[in-house]
Amino acid sequence: MRRLLARTLILTAAVLLAGSASTANAQPNSLFAKVVVIGVPGLTWNDVKASPELTALVNQSHIGSITVKTAGPHTCPVDGWLTISAGTRAWGSVPDEPCGDLPAVTNGQVQDWQTYVDRQADHHTGAPIGRLGQTNPAYRICGFGPGAAIALARTDGSVTNWQPELDQARLASNDCGDAIIDAGALPPREGRAEARKKVADLVAQARAADGWVLLVGISQTMANEHQEPLVAMQLPPDNGPRWLTSDSTRRPGLIQLTDVTATILKERTPAEVDPAGDEKKAGPLDGNEIHFTGDRHTDAAAVIQDRLDTNQRFEQPRPMLIAVSMTILAAELLALAWFVITRSPRSRRTFVFTLLMQGGFFIAVFLSTATVWWRWPAPGFSLYCVVLGISALLAGVAQVVLKHYAYLGIAAAAYGILLVDGVLGTPLQFGSMFTDGPVIGGRFYGFGNSTFATLAVAALVTAGWAAQRLIDKSRKQAALAVLAVGGAAIIVDGKPGWGTDFGGIIALTPAVLLMAWLTWRGSISWRALLGVGAAGVLAVSSVAFLDYLRPEDERSHFGTFVARLLDGDVSDVLIRKLQMAVQFFTGPAGWAMLVAVVVTMLATVLPERVPFQEYRTFYTSRPMVRPTLLALSTCGLVGMLLNDAGVALPAIMAGFAVPLLVAHLVASKQPATVSPESHLVQES
């Protein structure tokens, strides 16, 4: 068994890294000699639709949307330009205050620059503002407008090769290897049409200077403004107009703000500076060079509508998540009240159905993406109906076909769907209710925390069922089944280009190993428990270190984390993750989740203290119940302690697992009119 575990760990590490070089897309061909970035705070696709001049550019451009999420709670123009300066998400504005004017430039110095330097330290962003400007002298980049001064300032706030207004002759000269132009923020209402025409004129002037023009919305214009992905166009296009993308998003038609810095620098090495300007290596750029992909587009109106529909895809899931959750919860409470009052077979089935519907919801959030609901009329309401409909359909089919084992069918379905989705690059997760979309600046690919929580429950329950089928024949074969089912989930969750979830495999690996050990031996000592924990740490560390040994531009965030750890640059990352984890305890909801999670975990460790005979009987009814429940608690506990989701991760796991368990217990307990003999048959 020890040799088997060792081989499994080695195989897992090898598979996680195998082919990862192929998942890292090759860098695009060399760009034009002159890259001209035109930044327009607040430029939306509705602006393009309303402007004939901007609409005319669509069929001449590679098209995309840009997410402008920065380090702070909102992205004012200063946040956007500082992020361009650093190549990583920076924090420039003051929370709970309106967006202010950009700082002035006096005698070649950006005013109040030290304030922004200090702000990065105060908020632990790790953003080396001034990095782009510090690299500037090596290749002559020039800037025009106040935002460009911020983007091109050096680490001490000084700026050279900059002018307050566009000078077309200078732009076309050899003094400008590349250029950044601040087109100014679009006004909220009056004068917006004139501002849009000015943007189109700037594009024409930049193209006349033989520039590779990148027109992007650089930020929102107001702190409380509606958040949405903004406009991104690249002119002139190569090989016909297509869709912008980058390796940081891996999604056609989507780039992020930090990709702009990587595109300006192209294959140049960024200056090795930190926010204070010392000679110290900063973290890597967050973005990647922008390139194009996909089919050609020739219909400007259809392209604009596609971008507006895409905004709906990212805007609606979070509000509808709350609406759907409250609807299912209300249905469960009503069904529970009916069941408690009447105890009738019909009320029992109805209550079980609502519980299974909550389990089905954890699948419906992903399957709903396949319906392309964002193109339907009333997208928000369409999403609401689609998710509820799929949840009800899954619950009904499972209840009718699998009867008392409906819970297992839903868990196994979630397991299979998420494995396939992970291997395909997570197309179902992107834009789903369980994804922090581009507006929030969450994952663009791979498994997020909510998806991992769903996969972990599904994998461990499915592994428990598979082992239960084999344990009477051979405990070793049952343990192998746990390793096979759980190992597949670990591989898909952690492999770069699939789940790409470093935090997930940290939590799931020890849970699977613990479950396999309990399946094999039936019990575990403190010594064995420490060994299982050490094996889990070794497996995860090996994957991360092997990824670190690859070239820097081929590493995933596994290797990037190791690089920062070895460079002593990981403290800001850890502090930010800790801040994210503890933010749930700023209100009563977080403490309520913690209490619920602790009580649930205690129930798996101390079943004799649970005041429900049905649960105590179930706990001892089959050999694999205890290992499965303990593995679920282990995964949730490790995830809560080491993941930036904190208590939310085990809470989501409980939201999936507990209703399925209760549904099984309620469905398995027959009414009092049923004979004891038939009850025993059913329990067996």
Side-chain angles (χ1 to χ4, degrees), residues 460 464 467-468 471 475 482 511-512 514-520 522-523 604 619 622-634:
L460 294 174
Q468 182 62 47
I471 198 168
R475 280 190 170 271
V482 171
V512 170
L514 174 64
M515 187 175 179
W517 183 279
L518 289 173
T519 304
W520 178 39
S523 61
T604 66
Y619 192 91
R622 296 174 181 83
M624 284 308 302
V625 172
R626 175 173 170 266
T628 302
L629 293 178
L630 290 177
L632 286 168
S633 288
T634 299

Side-chain angles (χ1 to χ4, degrees), residues 504-538:
I505 63 172
I506 292 176
L508 187 55
T509 299
V512 170
L513 294 177
L514 174 64
M515 187 175 179
W517 183 279
L518 289 173
T519 304
W520 178 39
R521 302 300 295 267
S523 61
I524 189 168
S525 64
W526 282 107
R527 182 179 177 182
L529 184 62
L530 291 174
V532 167
V537 172
L538 178 62

Side-chain angles (χ1 to χ4, degrees), residues 11 52 135 198 226 306 312 350 379 413 424 472 477 497 514 543 551 563 582 629:
L11 178 62
T135 313
K198 175 188 173 184
H226 175 69
D306 175 83
Q312 291 290 331
T350 302
L424 295 178
D472 290 338
Q477 291 184 18
L514 174 64
V543 171
V582 301
L629 293 178

Side-chain angles (χ1 to χ4, degrees), residues 551-562:
E552 184 174 346
D553 59 348
E554 296 180 8
R555 295 172 188 162
S556 70
H557 62 285
F558 294 81
T560 300
F561 179 83
V562 174

